[in-house]
Coordinates of all heavy atoms in Angstrom, one line a residue:
T36 N 10.0 -17.2 -4.6 CA 10.4 -17.0 -6.0 C 9.6 -15.9 -6.6 O 8.7 -15.3 -5.9 CB 10.4 -18.2 -6.8 OG1 11.0 -18.0 -8.1 CG2 8.9 -18.7 -7.0
L43 N 5.6 -11.9 -6.4 CA 6.4 -12.9 -5.7 C 5.5 -14.0 -5.2 O 4.3 -13.8 -5.0 CB 7.1 -12.3 -4.5 CG 8.2 -11.2 -4.9 CD1 8.7 -10.4 -3.7 CD2 9.4 -11.8 -5.6
I105 N 19.5 12.4 0.2 CA 20.0 13.8 -0.3 C 21.0 13.6 -1.3 O 21.0 14.3 -2.4 CB 20.5 14.6 0.9 CG1 19.3 14.8 1.9 CG2 21.0 15.9 0.4 CD1 19.8 15.5 3.2
Y137 N 17.5 18.6 9.0 CA 16.1 18.9 9.1 C 15.2 17.8 8.4 O 14.0 17.8 8.5 CB 15.7 20.2 8.4 CG 16.3 21.4 9.1 CD1 17.5 22.0 8.7 CD2 15.7 22.0 10.2 CE1 18.1 23.1 9.3 CE2 16.3 23.1 10.8 CZ 17.4 23.6 10.4 OH 18.0 24.7 11.0
M143 N 7.3 4.0 2.7 CA 6.0 3.5 2.9 C 5.7 2.5 1.8 O 5.8 2.7 0.6 CB 4.9 4.6 2.8 CG 5.0 5.5 4.0 SD 3.6 6.7 4.1 CE 3.9 7.7 2.6
S275 N 15.9 -10.5 26.6 CA 14.5 -10.9 26.2 C 13.8 -9.9 25.3 O 12.7 -10.2 24.8 CB 13.7 -11.1 27.5 OG 13.7 -9.8 28.2
F300 N -2.5 9.1 12.4 CA -1.1 8.7 12.5 C -0.1 9.8 12.9 O 0.9 9.5 13.6 CB -0.7 8.1 11.1 CG 0.7 7.7 11.0 CD1 1.1 6.4 11.6 CD2 1.7 8.4 10.4 CE1 2.5 6.0 11.5 CE2 3.0 8.0 10.3 CZ 3.4 6.8 10.9
L316 N 7.3 0.5 11.3 CA 6.0 0.1 11.9 C 5.2 -0.7 10.9 O 5.2 -0.4 9.7 CB 5.2 1.4 12.2 CG 3.8 1.3 12.8 CD1 3.7 0.7 14.1 CD2 3.1 2.7 12.8
N345 N -17.5 -13.1 30.3 CA -17.7 -14.0 29.1 C -19.0 -13.6 28.4 O -19.1 -13.7 27.2 CB -17.8 -15.5 29.6 CG -16.4 -16.0 29.9 OD1 -15.5 -15.5 29.3 ND2 -16.4 -17.0 30.8
D408 N 9.9 -14.9 21.7 CA 11.0 -14.8 20.8 C 11.2 -13.4 20.3 O 10.5 -12.9 19.5 CB 10.8 -15.8 19.6 CG 12.1 -15.8 18.7 OD1 13.0 -15.0 19.0 OD2 12.1 -16.5 17.7
A417 N 9.2 -6.3 9.7 CA 9.9 -6.2 8.5 C 9.0 -6.1 7.3 O 7.9 -6.6 7.3 CB 10.9 -7.4 8.3
R457 N 11.3 20.5 1.7 CA 10.9 19.5 2.7 C 9.6 19.8 3.3 O 9.1 20.9 3.2 CB 12.0 19.4 3.8 CG 12.0 20.7 4.7 CD 13.0 20.6 5.8 NE 13.1 21.8 6.6 CZ 12.4 22.1 7.6 NH1 11.4 21.2 8.0 NH2 12.5 23.2 8.3
G487 N 10.1 36.1 1.6 CA 11.0 35.1 1.0 C 10.7 34.8 -0.5 O 11.3 33.8 -1.0
L559 N 21.9 38.3 -36.6 CA 23.2 38.5 -37.4 C 23.0 38.2 -38.8 O 22.6 37.1 -39.2 CB 24.3 37.6 -36.8 CG 25.7 37.8 -37.4 CD1 26.2 39.2 -37.3 CD2 26.7 36.8 -36.9
D607 N 18.3 48.6 -46.4 CA 18.9 47.4 -47.0 C 20.0 47.8 -48.0 O 20.0 49.0 -48.5 CB 17.7 46.7 -47.8 CG 18.1 45.3 -48.2 OD1 19.3 44.9 -47.9 OD2 17.3 44.6 -48.7
D645 N 28.5 45.5 -45.9 CA 29.7 44.9 -46.5 C 30.6 44.5 -45.4 O 31.3 43.4 -45.5 CB 30.3 45.9 -47.5 CG 29.5 46.2 -48.7 OD1 28.8 45.3 -49.2 OD2 29.5 47.4 -49.1
V667 N 21.6 48.7 -39.2 CA 20.2 48.6 -39.1 C 19.6 49.9 -38.8 O 20.3 50.9 -38.4 CB 19.8 47.6 -37.9 CG1 20.3 46.2 -38.2 CG2 20.4 48.1 -36.6
A673 N 12.3 56.4 -38.3 CA 10.9 56.2 -38.4 C 10.3 57.5 -39.0 O 9.3 57.4 -39.7 CB 10.3 55.9 -37.1
T689 N -5.9 61.1 -42.9 CA -6.5 60.6 -41.7 C -6.1 61.5 -40.5 O -5.0 61.8 -40.3 CB -5.8 59.1 -41.4 OG1 -6.1 58.3 -42.4 CG2 -6.5 58.6 -40.1
T804 N 3.8 46.6 -13.4 CA 3.2 46.6 -14.7 C 1.7 46.7 -14.6 O 1.0 46.4 -15.6 CB 3.6 45.3 -15.5 OG1 2.9 44.2 -14.8 CG2 5.0 45.1 -15.5
A855 N -1.5 38.9 3.1 CA -1.8 40.0 4.0 C -2.5 39.5 5.3 O -3.1 38.4 5.2 CB -2.7 41.1 3.3
T883 N 4.7 32.1 7.9 CA 5.2 33.0 8.8 C 6.4 33.8 8.4 O 7.0 34.6 9.1 CB 5.5 32.4 10.2 OG1 6.4 31.3 9.9 CG2 4.3 31.8 10.8

Side-chain angles (χ1 to χ4, degrees):
T36 188
L43 295 167
I105 297 174
Y137 296 97
M143 289 189 291
S275 61
F300 180 77
L316 177 65
N345 284 331
D408 183 357
R457 65 179 179 88
L559 182 59
D607 195 355
D645 296 322
V667 296
T689 305
T804 70
T883 54

